[in-house]
Amino acid sequence: MARNLTVAAAQMGPVAKDEPKAAVVDRLVALLREAAGRGSELVVFPELALTTFFPRWFLDDDEMLRYFETEMPGPETKRLFDEAKRLGVGFSLGFAELHTDDDGVTHRYNTQVLVERDGTEVARFRKVHIPGHEGNEEWRPFQHAERHYFEPGPDGFGVWWAFGGLVGMAICNDRRWPETYRVMGLQGVELILIGYNTPLFYAPDPQQDALAGFHNDLVMASGAYQNGTFVVGVAKGGIEEGVESLAQSAIYAPSGQVVARCVTTGDEVAVATIDLDFTRFYKETLFDFDRYRMPEHYRLITERRGAEPPAE
Ligand code: CDT
């Protein structure tokens, strides 16, 4: 029996520093409508989709706060939520989140929200691997000061029942780390949604620049294959405030093959109908974790080695 789901990678071109949030939401709504018109039930937007990629500057607390959302949906983003519900389309959206916890402590996270077709929030994922640097490194032509702005998400990688399958999320640099996929893989993930902003110039080692597209495909295709899951990777690409970023948004099958891909560096929708049951060809054969990884067996070995920290 097939569990078909039509998904869209809603790639964005640059967002200018002074572009009003309302104009960005107009673009998101246009992408959402186009994806819905092409039969999409789930639309995936990029990391930090509502603003320019502000970590390229080193800003003080007052300047940075305008890039953060204190509520989601908020006054400007409610229009996107309303339109998605009206169209019966779910979506995933990356944004900078200012979160006040139950103890009144404020946290800054790089966050992606997942919203079902009826408008209910399924989950929030907060980026785990925060790349770049903490201080202002003036030798760089532009900053990548994510570590100045965001603390790592405390909840790790989860999966949620939504859209007829088990769905997980990751954000940009998370996609380069094998455990991102494996932690979700061991929870049975069938569809991983990933937004990214990847500058084509990497100051610490520019010889990697020419390989940006190759590495992007390498990690998402192998993450999909080695865990028997679909992966949707969605860029904010093009030249934004003088910095060129990778586009090449794509949808990967559990075979590691690309089933749909954006061809421009601007606002563009790539759509694919995927069968979530196709994951079973991999999860129940080569990558049958229960059979071949034997989680219980490994737990017993670990305990026998005394690898657990001794009780106080
Ligand atoms: N946004 C993000 O995580 N970008 C990083 C850039 C490289 S680290 C400076 C990435 O892994 O694509």
Side-chain angles (χ1 to χ4, degrees):
M1 209 188 77
R3 276 184 295 146
N4 284 337
L5 179 72
T6 302
V7 291
Q11 176 177 283
M12 297 177 74
V15 174
K17 191 176 186 180
D18 57 3
E19 188 165 333
K21 215 168 274 176
V24 180
V25 173
D26 285 345
R27 288 168 59 184
L28 297 175
V29 168
L31 288 164
L32 188 81
R33 287 181 181 152
E34 186 190 335
R38 293 167 61 187
S40 304
E41 298 158 274
L42 170 59
V43 180
V44 185
F45 295 110
E47 174 192 33
L48 300 176
L50 297 168
T51 64
T52 198
F53 189 74
F54 59 89
R56 76 169 62 88
W57 299 289
F58 196 84
L59 305 173
D60 64 26
D61 281 11
D62 287 346
E63 289 174 305
M64 76 166 82
L65 281 180
R66 74 181 175 107
Y67 294 110
F68 281 79
E69 306 296 315
T70 51
E71 44 182 346
M72 186 56 65
E76 282 136 328
T77 47
K78 189 174 178 304
R79 206 152 45 84
L80 174 69
F81 281 68
D82 290 347
E83 184 63 359
K85 187 174 173 183
R86 189 186 73 78
L87 294 167
V89 176
F91 66 93
S92 182
L93 175 77
F95 65 100
E97 179 187 19
L98 194 67
H99 171 71
T100 304
D101 68 20
D102 294 342
D103 298 326
V105 180
T106 300
H107 303 271
R108 296 194 304 255
Y109 296 119
N110 188 337
T111 299
Q112 195 170 304
V113 67
L114 179 62
V115 179
E116 255 290 7
R117 291 156 284 194
D118 63 0
T120 55
E121 180 176 315
V122 177
R124 266 174 210 214
F125 167 77
R126 287 150 179 163
K127 186 174 183 176
V128 170
H129 301 92
I130 309 295
H133 46 99
E134 293 81 0
N136 192 14
E137 299 191 354
E138 284 176 359
W139 61 271
R140 293 170 182 261
F142 57 88
Q143 305 295 301
H144 197 109
E146 278 196 67
R147 297 179 69 79
H148 168 60
Y149 293 105
F150 302 116
E151 64 184 279
D155 304 320
F157 297 98
V159 301
W160 296 271
W161 282 108
F163 299 92
L166 271 173
V167 183
M169 291 182 273
I171 300 177
C172 197
N173 191 259
D174 289 324
R175 79 193 188 287
R176 302 188 190 277
W177 301 79
E179 60 268 33
T180 295
Y181 307 91
R182 181 51 50 103
V183 168
M184 289 188 263
L186 290 170
Q187 298 172 76
V189 75
E190 296 171 313
L191 175 61
I192 301 177
L193 315 175
I194 304 175
Y196 62 90
N197 282 262
T198 295
L200 289 177
F201 177 66
Y202 182 56
D205 182 20
Q207 71 187 333
Q208 295 181 28
D209 297 354
L211 302 173
F214 168 66
H215 288 157
N216 188 54
D217 274 338
L218 179 70
V219 292
M220 289 195 280
S222 55
Y225 172 64
Q226 292 175 331
N227 295 281
T229 180
F230 288 92
V231 172
V232 182
V234 186
K236 176 136 69 61
I239 302 174
E240 187 182 89
E241 299 293 341
V243 176
E244 188 168 15
S245 288
L246 183 71
Q248 299 185 21
S249 305
I251 301 170
Y252 303 83
S255 58
Q257 292 167 294
V258 172
V259 293
R261 161 106 65 196
C262 290
V263 295
T264 72
T265 58
D267 289 15
E268 182 185 347
V269 175
V271 177
T273 299
I274 61 175
D275 175 7
L276 294 173
D277 271 339
F278 185 80
T279 58
R280 294 176 57 188
F281 288 115
Y282 291 84
K283 288 187 189 296
E284 295 177 6
T285 59
L286 271 167
F287 299 114
D288 184 339
F289 290 161
D290 285 343
R291 185 173 182 191
Y292 297 121
R293 280 186 55 89
M294 296 183 290
E296 183 63 11
H297 175 76
Y298 280 106
R299 194 180 63 74
L300 289 172
I301 292 175
T302 308
E303 278 174 12
R304 216 172 292 146
R305 280 198 195 120
E308 299 288 329
E312 294 270 311

